[in-house]
Amino acid sequence: MKRAGTTGSARGMALYEEEQVERIGDIEERGKILVSLMYSTQQGGLIVGIIRCVHLAAMDANGYSDPFVKLWLKPDMGKKAKHKTQIKKKTLNPEFNEEFFYDIKHSDLAKKSLDISVWDYDIGKSNDYIGGCQLGISAKGERLKHWYECLKNKDKKIERWHQLQNENHVSSD
């Protein structure tokens, strides 16, 4: 049974509770991220929404993290390829509700992949990598399916939960 009209902090949770967890061998549990993808024909680009994370791994001594999310559309996009969210202090279940725009032709999207990484912000030292995932044609399972659905359904926002993994990360610069 689907619940309609969820708002506020309940947004996305109904979807989260209904989706089955995709088991990925023995990869350490790092949390999940809710991402929306939409190719806008009106704006001529990809709109990526970073909605929220749940059950993030605690990186700080206080048992929490200060998470933020970085996006990198690659390859060959230069400086405009990278975006990052605000930092959410002292939480393992941050709500971001931020959208980012990539000016890109629909036909070029099939050759790109979107690298999503979640970091713990630390003052005075390098940020800790919490986990990440990559969406695109070279991805597998739900991550490939989400990308494919976005390419297929222009002007339709598609939200999906993705499991974070603690591998293949890029530096936090």
Side-chain angles (χ1 to χ4, degrees), residues 98-147:
E98 294 184 46
E99 287 192 334
F100 302 94
F101 180 76
Y102 287 102
D103 188 0
I104 183 170
K105 291 201 301 263
H106 185 266
S107 57
D108 290 343
L109 262 189
K111 301 182 217 99
K112 304 289 182 197
S113 62
L114 181 68
D115 199 82
I116 301 169
S117 55
V118 183
W119 297 81
D120 169 45
Y121 175 77
D122 286 322
I123 298 167
K125 54 186 179 145
S126 61
N127 299 322
D128 299 316
Y129 180 74
I130 297 175
C133 65
Q134 197 172 67
L135 308 181
I137 291 302
S138 58
K140 294 191 171 34
E142 286 300 311
R143 300 185 310 275
L144 170 63
K145 198 168 144 193
H146 193 186
W147 192 255

Side-chain angles (χ1 to χ4, degrees), residues 24-127:
I24 315 154
D26 291 325
I27 294 170
E28 190 182 342
E29 179 78 32
R30 307 297 282 184
K32 287 186 148 185
I33 186 166
L34 182 58
V35 178
S36 71
L37 296 176
M38 180 176 88
Y39 187 84
S40 169
T41 53
Q42 196 175 6
Q43 292 171 269
L46 177 68
I47 299 168
V48 179
I50 300 300
I51 301 165
R52 65 192 304 157
C53 295
V54 292
H55 309 308
L56 292 180
M59 296 306 220
D60 295 337
N62 62 12
Y64 292 100
S65 289
D66 302 314
F68 68 96
V69 179
K70 289 188 359 186
L71 299 174
W72 185 13
L73 190 64
K74 53 191 194 180
D76 314 321
M77 291 286 288
K79 277 272 181 242
K80 61 185 187 293
K82 295 182 179 183
H83 291 294
K84 64 180 163 190
T85 66
Q86 300 291 309
I87 297 158
K88 300 295 179 184
K89 295 284 187 191
K90 219 173 143 191
T91 178
L92 300 179
N93 300 292
E95 286 198 41
F96 294 102
N97 294 314
E98 294 184 46
E99 287 192 334
F100 302 94
F101 180 76
Y102 287 102
D103 188 0
I104 183 170
K105 291 201 301 263
H106 185 266
S107 57
D108 290 343
L109 262 189
K111 301 182 217 99
K112 304 289 182 197
S113 62
L114 181 68
D115 199 82
I116 301 169
S117 55
V118 183
W119 297 81
D120 169 45
Y121 175 77
D122 286 322
I123 298 167
K125 54 186 179 145
S126 61
N127 299 322

